[in-house]
């Protein structure tokens, strides 16, 4: 299935939806399930389980995790952005789920009629969840993901959140 957009439509999608990807990336990176080494590996290699050739020396390093307030000091517990990140952290993302959610959020538009592409991504996500677990678990996980993404879409404007 191919979908064509002109440059203006592509720019509009990118400029209006990039912040969703940044929120997904941040929520995934700061998720408590990741150690400091996992965070470094995700940052450098895109994979929390990356094992470099000199893994013996790195496994001896005892770094503390990077926490949200260390890199974003304005993002306190009461800040709306922190609440959005914690909401998105409810999704247990692996690399496949993360990429599908980024694509889904990039294609969020009321002006451009691309709902069919979003539906295709949702179906792919559901099939992946079903592959990873049972159908009943996949249904529950998918419903939770849909709920979080729709709350994300309906949250305050990202740029106003940064100034609160």
């Amino acid at each position: 299935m191919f979908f064509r957009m002109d440059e203006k439509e592509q720019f509009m999608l990118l400029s209006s939806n990039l912040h969703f990807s940044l929120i997904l990336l941040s929520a995934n990176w700061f998720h408590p399930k990741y150690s400091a080494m996992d965070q470094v590996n995700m940052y450098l290699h895109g994979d929390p389980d990356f094992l470099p050739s000199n893994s013996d020396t790195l496994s001896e390093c005892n770094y503390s995790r990077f926490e949200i307030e260390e890199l974003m000091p304005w993002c306190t517990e009461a800040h709306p952005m922190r609440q959005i990140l914690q909401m998105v952290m409810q999704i247990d993302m692996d690399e496949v789920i993360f990429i599908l959610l980024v694509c889904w959020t990039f294609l969020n538009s009321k002006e451009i009629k691309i709902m069919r592409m979003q539906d295709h991504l949702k179906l792919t996500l559901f099939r992946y969840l079903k592959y990873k677990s049972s159908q009943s678990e996949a249904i529950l996980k998918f419903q939770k993901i849909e709920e979080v993404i729709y709350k994300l879409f309906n949250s305050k404007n990202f740029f106003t959140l940064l100034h609160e």
Side-chain angles (χ1 to χ4, degrees), residues 77-89:
E77 287 290 330
H79 195 279
M81 179 58 79
R82 176 69 162 256
Q83 294 166 6
I84 289 172
L85 289 173
Q86 288 175 329
M87 176 188 68
V88 175
M89 282 183 199

Side-chain angles (χ1 to χ4, degrees), residues 93-111:
M93 291 185 262
D94 61 13
E95 297 85 11
V96 173
I97 294 170
F98 174 75
I99 288 297
L100 289 169
L101 292 179
V102 166
C103 292
W104 178 1
T105 58
F106 259 136
L107 297 174
N108 180 44
S109 174
K110 292 179 179 131
E111 290 80 29

Side-chain angles (χ1 to χ4, degrees), residues 26-34 39 65 89-92:
S26 298
N28 190 42
W29 198 73
F30 287 117
H31 197 283
K33 72 180 178 182
Y34 292 120
Q39 289 176 315
R65 282 181 37 78
M89 282 183 199
Q90 294 174 18
I91 301 171
D92 187 19

Side-chain angles (χ1 to χ4, degrees), residues 65-79:
R65 282 181 37 78
F66 294 96
E67 298 298 335
I68 294 172
E69 54 276 347
E70 291 175 312
L71 297 178
M72 298 185 285
W74 50 267
C75 196
T76 62
E77 287 290 330
H79 195 279

